[in-house]
Amino acid sequence: MSNRARHIAIIMDGNGRWAQAQGKNRTAGHEKGAETVRRITTFCAENDEIERLTLYAFSTENWKRPKLEVEFLMKLLEKYLKNELKTYLEGNIRFEPIGDLSSFSPSLRKTIERVREETARCSGLVQSLALNYGAQDEIVRAANALLGRGETISAESLGHALDTNENVDLLIRTGGDHRLSNFLLWQSAYAELFFTDTLWPDFTTAEFERIIKKFKTVERRFGGLN
Ligand code: FPP
């Protein structure tokens, strides 16, 4: 029996290099990257096996980037969510943000909340965007929430207190680097990891399908024996 890719998580890397290779500003790469977000999300929505797609859109460390790039990413995100509401609804896609949203502007927070509410009843793919997300920050926030409620910390209680408790089956990173960059560390405990040199704006559904096909042939043992 082959593996099922129920939950796919992606570290979308390489936007800046894609733009620079074309003599363009890094922000042009992010804009092109947003098109790949739409392409890959639509592909997942049309694939019955994939239930959840989690995309690393902005990390807790990304605030260290130049102010103009951060501002551009915030505007792009807001524009994307507003423009794509139709795509979410038509594709029966539920939008679920993860991360600490409290640092975002009131306007962006309102847009995030609106798309979340308007897609809450969609029953197809869950597209989760990791926004101001860092796995260490998520685990610390969860532990503090449990302590605040006087609860004991166990793998079960901590898992439930995280932004998401959905185990990742397949984690893909584009852009050539082989690291997890503080993304879904808890949930990826038994994820299969795939790395590709392709820069995120160039990532196609054909390559995505090839990775999923390869993932299906991997023997997953979850620490046991077969
Ligand atoms: C990494 O590329 C990408 C990001 C830090 C942001 C991800 C954003 C997008 C894919 C576009 C907008 C997203 C949505 C959901 C609309 P990088 O800038 O680190 O690339 P580099 O490694 O080549 O510099």
Side-chain angles (χ1 to χ4, degrees):
M1 234 181 55
S2 65
N3 301 315
R4 286 190 60 195
R6 288 192 184 88
H7 183 187
I8 300 179
I10 308 183
I11 301 174
M12 312 181 285
D13 200 14
N15 293 346
R17 278 166 287 160
W18 181 90
Q20 277 158 353
Q22 320 224 352
K24 292 180 179 161
N25 197 294
R26 290 177 53 81
T27 51
H30 295 314
E31 208 146 23
K32 194 78 182 162
E35 288 175 26
T36 312
V37 170
R38 185 187 312 116
R39 186 162 70 238
I40 295 299
T41 301
T42 303
F43 173 89
C44 290
E46 288 166 357
N47 182 319
D48 288 343
E49 176 180 320
I50 304 167
E51 294 169 7
R52 183 174 287 264
L53 172 70
T54 305
L55 301 172
Y56 209 2
F58 194 85
S59 78
T60 44
E61 287 74 36
N62 284 153
W63 297 105
K64 292 185 221 156
R65 294 188 175 209
K67 193 166 168 267
L68 281 179
E69 184 172 341
V70 171
E71 278 172 7
F72 183 89
L73 280 167
M74 296 296 133
K75 281 202 194 106
L76 181 62
L77 189 60
E78 190 159 358
K79 191 170 90 181
Y80 180 88
L81 289 172
K82 282 181 177 160
N83 289 349
E84 296 302 317
L85 181 56
K86 202 164 155 266
T87 311
Y88 284 103
L89 295 173
E90 283 175 2
N92 196 20
I93 302 165
R94 191 162 85 233
F95 166 66
E96 275 185 10
I98 57 168
D100 179 2
L101 306 181
S102 64
S103 311
F104 292 132
S105 70
S107 159
L108 178 54
R109 284 213 306 265
K110 213 170 119 195
T111 303
I112 290 170
E113 201 41 44
R114 205 184 102 216
V115 178
R116 197 171 69 82
E117 272 171 17
E118 293 204 21
T119 63
R121 271 185 287 279
C122 292
S123 57
L125 177 78
V126 176
Q127 186 225 45
S128 179
L129 291 187
L131 303 168
N132 190 27
Y133 176 88
Q136 293 177 346
D137 177 66
E138 178 192 33
I139 293 166
V140 169
R141 281 188 285 108
N144 279 325
L146 291 176
L147 291 176
R149 297 197 294 263
E151 293 176 33
T152 48
I153 293 180
S154 65
E156 204 190 347
S157 67
L158 191 66
H160 285 296
L162 294 171
D163 296 350
T164 174
N165 195 25
E166 301 283 346
N167 287 330
V168 175
D169 296 303
L170 165 60
L171 189 145
I172 300 169
R173 181 178 186 133
T174 62
D177 286 326
H178 294 199
R179 54 176 171 257
L180 294 177
S181 300
N182 204 10
F183 187 45
L184 298 176
L185 299 182
W186 180 281
Q187 300 85 346
S188 297
Y190 281 100
E192 299 298 328
L193 311 181
F194 282 74
F195 300 95
T196 169
D197 290 339
T198 305
L199 304 174
W200 177 248
D202 289 330
F203 191 61
T204 60
T205 53
E207 181 171 11
F208 191 35
E209 273 184 298
R210 279 197 298 276
I211 292 173
I212 295 172
K213 205 168 158 200
K214 183 116 188 280
F215 158 82
K216 286 181 171 298
T217 66
V218 173
E219 188 190 11
R220 302 184 78 192
R221 290 189 296 276
F222 300 95
L225 299 175
N226 265 15

